[in-house]
Amino acid sequence: YKLLIGDLAKKLYVYKGANLDWESSVSDIPVAVATFYSETSKNPTPCIALATDSSVFIIKNFKPFFKFNLPSQEWVVDEIIAYNKFNSGDPSELVEKLSGLRAKGLELSDTSLTLMTESDPQKQLEMIYEAKRNPMVSLPSTTCMETIKKSVDD
């Protein structure tokens, strides 16, 4: 058996017994690690799936094999309209509109939820202008990971 460890220094370690068997730097802080077999042959090669913020890396034979980026999600249309209609002035107007959208059951972006919890009007204005300057998409982040077995033998 081998032990996989991902740490805050953006490293992935593989230990065999008490000895370091393999070490690699990764692009972001590891969030989750899983192992799986991608083949169904007699002697399958184990793969490592390493999840970071918005990507999952597949490592095979201790070499990068595949990278999957989680797709971004566009904001709700009503939320985008509310931001675009806001020109200047009192940010509480936009906060009220966003609160109304949330009360209707719409899933708002993290930016809007943070804006609604901010109490300082000056910081609210800065957040609004920053949101209007950038693309109105939510970037996903991985929080956990599991493998799906292909067969009963897995």
Side-chain angles (χ1 to χ4, degrees):
Y1 291 98
K2 295 185 179 185
L3 173 67
L4 297 169
I5 299 174
D7 68 5
L8 296 175
K10 299 180 184 177
K11 296 260 186 184
L12 179 66
Y13 303 96
V14 177
Y15 285 91
K16 186 175 185 177
N19 300 321
L20 180 64
D21 194 31
W22 181 73
E23 174 184 347
S24 178
S25 295
V26 292
S27 62
D28 207 348
I29 297 172
V31 176
V33 176
T35 59
F36 65 96
Y37 293 99
S38 64
E39 307 160 358
T40 56
S41 64
K42 283 269 189 198
N43 296 319
T45 305
C47 295
I48 301 169
L50 176 72
T52 62
D53 186 36
S54 63
S55 299
V56 176
F57 298 91
I58 306 299
I59 301 166
K60 190 173 184 178
N61 293 324
F62 298 117
K63 295 181 178 115
F65 181 68
F66 185 74
K67 178 183 177 185
F68 176 74
N69 290 319
L70 299 174
S72 58
Q73 183 179 9
E74 288 190 23
W75 289 7
V76 178
V77 174
D78 293 339
E79 184 179 10
I80 294 171
I81 291 170
Y83 273 90
N84 288 335
K85 284 186 178 178
F86 181 83
N87 292 323
S88 62
D90 187 12
S92 64
E93 295 172 17
L94 178 59
V95 171
E96 286 177 27
K97 286 181 185 177
L98 294 172
S99 296
L101 294 175
R102 187 172 184 206
K104 289 180 183 177
L106 296 178
E107 188 175 325
L108 299 180
S109 65
D110 291 339
T111 303
S112 293
L113 295 174
T114 305
L115 175 68
M116 291 165 56
T117 60
E118 179 60 55
S119 59
D120 182 15
Q122 186 59 36
K123 287 184 180 178
Q124 285 179 328
L125 281 174
E126 291 172 11
M127 291 175 68
I128 293 167
Y129 293 133
E130 180 70 22
K132 289 177 79 168
R133 274 195 300 274
N134 294 320
M136 294 185 177
V137 294
S138 294
L139 299 175
S141 62
T142 308
T143 56
C144 61
M145 180 173 60
E146 182 60 61
T147 58
I148 298 174
K149 308 300 182 195
K150 286 201 260 185
S151 67
V152 177
D153 297 334
D154 290 344

